Each structure stands twice: as C-alpha cells, then as structure tokens.
C-alpha cells in the first residue's frame, strides 16, 4: 500500500525545510534507512533518511524549494500503484482490497491474516484525526534519542506548544514539542529507553480514540520478519548443539580426567596418568595425586639409595605464600554522545588520510604579553585564547588549511570559525567561536568560558557546535607535552596544543632557560599538502613568538 513521505521537523525551531538535493529519483527502489534527500533547515543542512520501503512513485518539491513541516514531499509504494488519492487527501486506492475479496481463500488461517492486515493498512492517522509524534532529528549527527523524562502521562490533555518530553541526544538534552492539541493517547517509549529517529514515541488525538490499528500497521511487518528469522535459526542451532555435544563426548572418552597443573607435573616427572588414581570428584586427577604417586616396581629403590650413600648436596626449597585474587569488573551502557564520538571519529580516521606536522614555539614573549594584557583586560585571557586568535589570523593567510573535502570538490572557506574541543563528563564537545579572526582576545576568552559552562551543564544547542572550519584541541593544562588528534570532519585540519615546558634552549650562542610549547597539526591529505601545512605552522609560530602582531 502506498505511503506518503512528509517533511520532518529536524530542529526545535524549524517551521519549514528546503530540499537541498534529492538522492533518489522517481522509479528508484528505496529501503528503510536509505538517504533520499538533503534538507536545509534553519540551522544546518541535514540528511533525510527514509524509514519506509518501496518504489519512489512521486517527488513533490524540486531542489531549492521550501516545504512546510508535515507537508507531503514524496510517495512510496509498489511499482505502478495509483497514488493520486493520497495527494488529493483521500485514502489509498482500494483496488487490491477488491481483488482480495474476489479471490477464493486457500485456508482459514490465511483468510484471518489477510483480513487483519488489510484492516490495519486501511486506517491512517488522518482517518482517526490523530497526530503521530515521532523521534525528531535534533542534530545533524543524531541517529537515536533517549527519553530522559515524560512531562505528561497517557490521558492528559496537551496543547500544541507543550513540551511533552525531554530527549537526550548525542550532545545535549532537548525538549520535544507536541505540535498538536488533544489527549495523549499512547506513549511508545518509556523513560530511559532509546528510540531511533522517526520511530513513533507518542500519539495525540481525541479522547477515547482506539489507536491500536495504527500501532499494528507499523509493527505487523516487523513481527513477521522476526518470526521467520527465529524459525530458520532454530534447526541450525539444534544441529550445532548436537554436533558440539558429540565432539565433547568423544573427547572425554579419549583422555584421562586431570587438572592442567597435574598434567604438567606428571609430564615433568615422566609419570603416565593412566597409572595414577584420582581423588577428586569423578576420579579426576589433581596435583596431590601426582606428587604422592609411587610406582610399585620402584617403591624400594629410594630406600636402598638412601642407606647406601648420603646426598652430596642439600637442595633448599622456597615456599611462596599463596595469594588469592578475585576477577571482577563493571559495565555501563554507552551514552548517545559516546556512540556519536565513536562513529564520527571512526569515519574521520578511516576515511581521511591523516598526516601530522610538529613545531616548537618559544613562548617567552607570549607569557610576558599575557601578563600585561590581563592587567587591563575585562576578563582573564588564557594561553588557549591566544592560540585561538593566532590560528584565526594564520588561517586567513592560508585558506588551503581552512578548507574541507566535499567528495567531488574542495570547499575553501573565506570565513574563519574555530572549533574548541572541550572535555565533558560523557565525552567531548566542540563549540565554535565564529569569525574568530575579527574578535579581540577578551571577546574570545569570554565566549570560550561561556561555552565551557554550557557544555558542562549540557545546555549547548546545535547552533553552538555546527559550522566549524578548523579545530583546536588543547591538553596542555593536563601536562601533556605533545599529542596527535583525529580531524573533526568535515574540517581539513586540527591543531593539537601541548604544555609549556621549561627546558634549556640556545639563544645567541648560549644555553639559557626557555619556555617551549609544541604544536602538532593534523591534516587531511586530500585537501592539505605537507608544504601547505608547514607554511601555516611557520606563520602561526611567528604570531605566537611576536604576539604584538595579533593586536595590530
């Protein structure tokens, strides 16, 4: 049966979306999870994946056209199926149902299944005057969300602007708005459980409405597939168990029951375990059985040897105290943030060819300049703030480093948005200092501090972490001398900042104390070459060693 595809709500402030690009055309086969389009929202351009299967029968808006939320943008169904009734606002054609009525049933069970299925498919949310609320795509990297808490319960009356639930995404906890007036009829996911994007999480409609047909319609095909999988797995599992049991039985009959330690001692002493009687359960041979074993034919030999001659040397035995330890561990579920970090950094490392360049910076002048700046600055400026400002100025001079790989083209960004990696309890967030080249050190410092507080409180919004063109990661405050970082895609490079170390340096032919900081530039070799990255680091070195140039 044909189904409509509607414009999803991809952010909490989105009212309409623009079709940036179609990845499928009419007539193409679409599977659940396939990328069918790119949608430009008020905050970002996001991928739109289908959660339906079938042939793409109809595409409504063209690329570049804006579409309101929940408007029909496409239709999926069987090849050649008539879908015009869906576009006119009516129900799907009943041609197949008429054909089923004329066809003679083969068995009572099949009649029952078909009748139940057709009854479920013939009911839509519009027929019941209900609104189905699905898990929204709240960030460009989100694949599923966890219901942190429900603000209403089944039977409560809600308004269209009510926040019915709090959803934990991979980066923040955000509110889900109902966008419908009525009674909360169904809650599909309990608090603490995860749901994939576009899965049903609630249904709103007139009080007393039976929404069972809607739920059966969504779950019918999944249950059938699950049943088929289980029925296929059972015979194979039985055969494997049977074969395994037979192998174990044959192995047990072919060897003597003994502990590994007893086997080792017996091998060292040349004792045949078939001659040893086991004292453990089931006649199993253990260490004391082997150590206490005396062959019958050699029982008197030790006595004769002892009486005939005294031992030439005495062997001292060392007794080690026995230590008994306990193996234990704890496990915890993976958070949404950690799942996304694992996925995105894995994609970056194994997709972008990384190479690294390291340079040493003399920070004596920067340390002196920072002390003077903080005597007059409205907020305290850190070394990281100075690095961010220097990076922004250097990127304006080296646009090739301020670029990103876009598959069939390279994007050279004329604006400079510096992402600042921040460690939080669940992982890592990268809020963005936008247009950093035009901001003062005090402005950058205040902005980074605000982002740090919001990140720890999980209050960052998608607009705070989207749109970086370059990233700075600083572990100097943890005493790390130097390190390498994985590029924050789609950026073309990332800078790793180490600690300032006091080491001997040579100046004017003399060895004197110096303050040295190491910077490591990680580059995507598809967009940044070695010489290009080296030239950028030379410019950055000059700015940090003569920080007065940052104020010019």
């Amino acid at each position: 049966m044909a189904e409509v595809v509607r414009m999803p709500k991809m952010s909490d402030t989105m009212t309409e979306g623009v079709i940036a690009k179609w990845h499928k055309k009419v007539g193409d086969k679409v599977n659940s999870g396939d990328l069918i389009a790119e949608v430009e929202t008020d905050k970002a351009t996001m991928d739109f994946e289908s959660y339906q299967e079938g042939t793409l029968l109809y595409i409504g808006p063209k690329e570049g056209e804006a579409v309101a939320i929940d408007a029909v943008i496409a239709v999926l169904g069987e090849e050649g199926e008539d879908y015009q009734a869906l576009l006119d606002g009516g129900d799907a054609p009943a041609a197949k149902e008429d054909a089923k009525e004329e066809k003679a049933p083969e068995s009572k069970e099949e009649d029952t299944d078909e009748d139940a299925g057709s009854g479920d498919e013939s009911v839509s949310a519009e027929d019941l005057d209900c609104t189905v609320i699905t898990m929204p795509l709240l960030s460009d990297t989100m694949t599923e969300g966890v219901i942190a808490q429900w603000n209403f319960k089944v039977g409560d009356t809600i308004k269209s602007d009510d926040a019915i639930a709090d959803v934990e995404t991979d980066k923040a906890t955000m509110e889900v708005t109902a966008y419908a007036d009525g009674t909360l009829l169904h809650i599909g996911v309990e608090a603490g459980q995860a749901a994939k994007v576009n899965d049903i999480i609630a249904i709103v409609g007139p009080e007393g409405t039976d929404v069972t047909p809607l739920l059966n319609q969504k779950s019918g095909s999944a249950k059938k597939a699950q049943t088929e999988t289980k029925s296929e797995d059972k015979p194979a599992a039985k055969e494997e168990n049977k074969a395994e049991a037979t192998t174990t039985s044959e192995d047990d009959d072919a060897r003597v029951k003994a502990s590994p330690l007893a086997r080792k001692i017996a091998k060292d002493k040349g004792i045949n375990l078939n001659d040893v009687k086991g004292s453990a359960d089931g006649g199993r041979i253990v260490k004391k059985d082997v150590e206490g074993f005396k062959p019958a034919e050699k029982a008197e030999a030790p006595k004769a040897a002892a009486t005939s001659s005294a031992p030439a040397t005495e062997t001292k035995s060392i007794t080690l105290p026995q230590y008994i330890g306990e193996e234990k561990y704890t496990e915890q579920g993976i958070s949404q943030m950690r799942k996304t970090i694992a996925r995105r950094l894995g994609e970056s490392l194994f997709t972008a060819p990384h190479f690294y360049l390291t340079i040493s910076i003399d920070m004596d002048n920067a340390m002196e300049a920072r002390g003077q700046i903080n005597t007059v600055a409205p907020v305290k400026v850190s070394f990281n703030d100075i690095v961010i400002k220097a990076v922004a100025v250097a990127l304006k001079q080296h646009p090739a480093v301020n670029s990103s790989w876009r598959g069939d083209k390279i994007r050279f960004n004329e604006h400079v948005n510096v992402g600042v990696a921040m460690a939080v309890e669940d992982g890592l967030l990268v809020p963005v200092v936008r247009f950093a080249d035009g901001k003062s050190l005090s402005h950058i410092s205040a902005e980074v501090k605000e982002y740090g507080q919001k990140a720890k409180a999980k209050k960052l919004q998608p607009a705070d972490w989207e749109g970086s063109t370059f990233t700075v990661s600083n572990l100097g405050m943890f005493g790390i001398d130097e390190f390498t970082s994985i590029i924050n895609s789609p950026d073309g490079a990332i800078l790793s900042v180490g600690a300032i170390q006091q080491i001997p340096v040579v100046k004017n032919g003399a060895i004197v104390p110096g303050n040295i900081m190491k910077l490591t530039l990680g580059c995507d070799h598809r967009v940044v070459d070695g010489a290009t990255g080296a030239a950028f680091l030379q410019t950055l070195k000059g700015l940090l060693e003569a920080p007065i140039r940052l104020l010019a």
Side-chain angles (χ1 to χ4, degrees):
M1 178 179 177
E3 293 181 271
V4 296
V5 180
R6 300 180 183 277
M7 173 62 70
K9 184 177 177 64
M10 293 180 164
S11 74
D12 52 339
T13 59
M14 175 181 172
T15 57
E16 65 177 13
V18 176
I19 300 295
K21 181 179 181 180
W22 283 105
H23 289 275
K24 300 285 185 180
K25 61 182 182 296
V26 172
D28 286 353
K29 179 67 176 177
V30 178
N31 296 318
S32 178
D34 281 357
L35 176 63
I36 61 174
E38 291 178 12
V39 177
E40 182 181 353
T41 70
D42 55 338
K43 294 183 178 178
T45 299
M46 303 183 183
D47 293 337
F48 177 37
E49 297 179 355
S50 173
Y51 60 91
Q52 300 154 310
E53 295 184 355
T55 301
L56 189 56
L57 304 175
Y58 166 81
I59 287 179
K62 298 179 181 178
E63 293 183 356
E65 291 184 0
V67 184
I69 288 175
D70 210 39
V72 176
I73 60 174
V75 177
L76 290 173
E78 296 182 5
E79 189 174 359
E81 187 176 0
D82 183 11
Y83 57 87
Q84 191 60 43
L86 291 175
L87 300 180
D88 296 338
D91 294 330
K96 290 188 176 180
E97 295 177 5
D98 296 338
K100 288 180 180 178
E101 292 177 1
E102 294 175 3
K103 184 179 178 180
E106 295 180 1
S107 66
K108 292 183 178 180
E109 293 180 358
E110 292 178 356
D111 284 346
T112 304
D113 293 340
E114 290 181 0
D115 291 343
S118 62
D120 292 341
E121 292 177 357
S122 62
V123 178
S124 65
E126 290 80 2
D127 295 335
L128 301 178
D129 195 23
C130 293
T131 299
V132 175
I133 300 174
T134 58
M135 176 62 71
L137 185 65
L138 299 174
S139 76
D140 56 340
T141 60
M142 176 181 170
T143 58
E144 65 179 13
V146 174
I147 301 294
Q149 71 173 22
W150 284 102
N151 300 325
F152 294 88
K153 62 181 183 296
V154 173
D156 287 352
T157 300
I158 60 177
K159 298 180 180 179
S160 60
D161 57 349
D162 283 341
I164 63 171
D166 294 341
V167 173
E168 178 188 350
T169 71
D170 51 339
K171 294 181 178 178
T173 299
M174 308 176 76
E175 295 179 343
V176 174
T177 308
Y179 299 103
D181 294 334
T183 300
L184 185 56
L185 304 173
H186 170 74
I187 288 179
V189 183
E190 297 296 330
Q193 294 182 351
K196 294 186 179 299
V197 172
N198 291 327
D199 279 357
I200 295 177
I201 59 174
I203 298 178
V204 177
E207 185 176 1
T209 304
D210 182 12
V211 297
T212 304
L214 289 177
L215 301 177
N216 290 341
Q217 180 180 342
K218 295 294 182 182
S219 62
S221 59
K223 289 182 179 179
K224 182 178 179 182
Q226 186 177 6
T227 303
E228 292 175 355
T229 303
K230 288 183 177 179
S231 63
E232 291 175 0
D233 290 344
K234 286 181 180 179
K238 289 182 179 179
E239 290 179 5
E240 290 178 2
N241 293 338
K242 183 177 180 181
E244 186 176 352
T246 303
T247 304
T248 305
S249 176
E250 291 175 357
D251 291 344
D252 289 344
D253 293 340
R255 61 176 176 229
V256 179
K257 295 180 180 179
S259 69
L261 181 58
R263 288 184 178 280
K264 184 178 184 304
I265 297 173
K267 182 179 179 181
D268 294 341
K269 292 186 175 183
I271 298 174
N272 188 341
L273 289 176
N274 290 314
D275 300 332
V276 182
K277 183 178 180 181
S279 61
D281 293 342
R284 186 167 179 266
I285 300 171
V286 293
K287 175 184 175 184
K288 66 178 183 179
D289 298 329
V290 179
E291 291 181 338
F293 174 72
K294 293 181 179 181
E297 64 274 13
K298 298 180 181 180
E300 300 300 328
K303 288 186 179 180
T307 55
S308 60
S309 61
T313 57
E314 294 184 0
T315 302
K316 294 183 179 180
S317 61
I318 300 176
T319 303
L320 296 176
Q322 186 179 12
Y323 181 82
I324 301 176
E326 180 184 1
E327 295 183 357
K328 58 182 180 179
Y329 59 85
T330 58
E331 293 181 343
Q332 65 180 31
I334 301 175
S335 67
Q336 300 301 305
M337 182 182 296
R338 181 57 59 187
K339 287 180 182 178
T340 300
I341 290 173
R343 177 176 58 83
R344 292 201 59 181
L345 294 186
E347 291 173 353
S348 174
L349 182 61
F350 297 117
T351 301
H354 286 52
F355 74 91
Y356 297 96
L357 303 170
T358 301
I359 195 169
S360 298
I361 309 295
D362 185 347
M363 294 294 288
D364 285 349
N365 291 336
M367 294 175 69
E368 183 179 355
R370 175 175 177 262
Q372 295 175 359
I373 291 171
N374 282 334
T375 59
V376 296
V379 293
K380 186 177 181 181
V381 174
S382 68
F383 287 113
N384 197 50
D385 301 328
I386 296 175
V387 170
I388 293 171
K389 176 66 175 180
V391 162
V393 174
L395 287 173
K396 293 294 287 186
Q397 301 179 38
H398 300 273
V401 183
N402 194 39
S403 60
S404 60
W405 179 262
R406 295 287 172 170
D408 56 349
K409 55 183 175 292
I410 297 175
R411 176 178 295 178
F412 295 93
N413 298 294
E414 298 180 10
H415 59 284
V416 178
N417 292 347
V418 180
V420 184
M422 294 183 177
V424 294
E425 182 179 356
D426 294 333
L428 189 71
L429 291 175
V430 187
V432 180
V433 179
R434 303 181 186 280
F435 312 111
D437 57 307
K439 294 179 179 178
S440 67
L441 287 169
S442 297
H443 192 154
I444 292 174
S445 178
E447 198 168 324
V448 171
K449 286 180 173 62
E450 181 182 1
Y451 279 146
Q453 294 172 356
K454 291 172 69 175
K456 290 181 180 179
K458 291 187 176 182
K459 297 297 183 181
L460 287 174
Q461 297 300 309
D464 297 330
W465 66 67
E466 294 169 351
S468 68
T469 61
F470 187 92
T471 303
V472 172
S473 179
N474 191 340
L475 292 179
M477 66 286 293
F478 298 106
I480 302 301
D481 299 337
E482 62 178 303
F483 65 102
T484 59
S485 302
I486 299 175
I487 297 171
N488 180 32
S489 296
D491 297 352
I494 187 171
L495 186 70
S496 306
V497 183
I500 299 175
Q501 297 178 285
Q502 284 191 331
I503 60 174
V505 298
V506 178
K507 291 185 178 180
N508 300 322
I511 299 177
V512 297
N515 296 284
I516 302 299
M517 179 177 71
K518 290 188 177 181
L519 302 179
T520 300
L521 181 68
C523 304
D524 182 348
H525 216 325
R526 296 174 299 181
V527 295
V528 180
D529 294 326
T532 305
F536 168 78
L537 285 178
Q538 286 294 334
T539 301
L540 185 59
K541 177 182 175 72
L543 291 169
L544 290 173
E545 292 184 347
I548 190 66
R549 295 166 58 187
L550 298 175
L551 307 177

